[in-house]
C-alpha cells in the first residue's frame, strides 16, 4: 500500500515542529523560578557579575618579573 504525501506538506510540518520547540524553549526561559526571576534574568545577572570581575582584573597593573 502506497500513500502519496505532497512535498509541501512535509516542509510545512517541519516549520510547525520548529515553531512548537522554539515556543516551548522561550516559555521555559521566561517562566519565573525564584524571587520572580526567570532563567534569562539569572543568566544575565551572572554574566554581568562575571564581566565586572573580568574588567576589574584586566584593569590591574601587570606584575613585575
Amino acid at each position: 500500500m502506497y500513500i502519496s504525501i505532497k512535498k509541501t506538506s512535509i516542509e510545512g510540518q517541519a516549520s510547525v515542529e520548529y515553531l512548537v520547540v522554539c515556543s516551548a524553549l522561550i516559555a521555559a526561559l521566561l517562566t519565573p523560578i525564584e524571587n520572580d526571576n526567570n532563567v534569562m534574568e539569572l543568566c544575565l545577572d551572572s554574566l554581568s557579575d562575571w564581566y565586572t570581575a573580568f574588567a576589574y582584573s584586566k584593569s590591574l597593573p601587570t606584575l613585575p618579573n
Side-chain angles (χ1 to χ4, degrees), residues 7-58:
K7 184 177 181 181
T8 56
S9 67
I10 294 173
E11 291 172 356
Q13 177 68 26
S15 298
V16 172
E17 289 175 5
Y18 183 76
L19 180 66
V20 168
V21 170
C22 287
S23 299
L25 286 174
I26 290 171
L29 290 174
L30 298 179
T31 301
I33 54 172
E34 65 177 45
N35 300 333
D36 293 331
N37 288 338
N38 57 38
V39 174
M40 289 299 294
E41 289 173 348
L42 294 173
C43 287
L44 289 174
D45 289 343
S46 177
L47 185 62
S48 175
D49 292 343
W50 174 82
Y51 186 76
T52 301
F54 172 74
Y56 173 74
S57 67
K58 288 294 283 183

